[in-house]
Amino acid sequence: MKDPTAIFEALPPAHRARFRAEYEEALDAAHDLARFSQVQTLLRQWRLRAIAYARPGYEEAVQDALQQRTEMFARYTPPEWEGRV
């Protein structure tokens, strides 16, 4: 999903204005060829954000983190790390 329209539509309404502003800023910067890759980077970042925002429980997880409710987070240790951490 590198299409800005698809990313925009995948975003929750609360995040669309910020995406649009950052996208327009990146497009303006792209007139300088040295900064053209900024548009591609921005689209990649926002595509990943759209995926994260769409996950069930995302907003609740953000609030848990902001309220420092760390007991809500699963602690995972890869099996090969047992005894190392």
Side-chain angles (χ1 to χ4, degrees), residues 3-62:
D3 176 15
T5 303
I7 294 169
F8 181 83
E9 291 172 357
L11 288 168
H15 298 281
R16 289 178 176 176
R18 182 172 169 210
F19 168 73
R20 188 171 196 110
E22 288 184 21
Y23 179 66
E24 289 175 3
E25 183 179 321
L27 284 178
D28 287 341
H31 293 292
D32 174 3
L33 292 178
R35 296 177 65 192
F36 180 77
S37 66
Q38 184 176 343
V39 174
Q40 294 172 323
T41 300
L42 178 120
L43 291 175
R44 259 193 316 274
Q45 290 171 340
W46 276 99
R47 179 182 62 82
L48 294 173
R49 288 177 186 168
I51 293 167
Y53 296 154
R55 291 188 63 137
Y58 174 82
E59 290 298 327
E60 293 83 2
V62 169

Side-chain angles (χ1 to χ4, degrees), residues 59-75:
E59 290 298 327
E60 293 83 2
V62 169
Q63 290 306 311
D64 288 341
L66 292 173
Q67 300 299 319
Q68 298 181 353
R69 293 188 295 245
T70 57
E71 70 277 358
M72 303 303 286
F73 296 100
R75 304 247 187 259

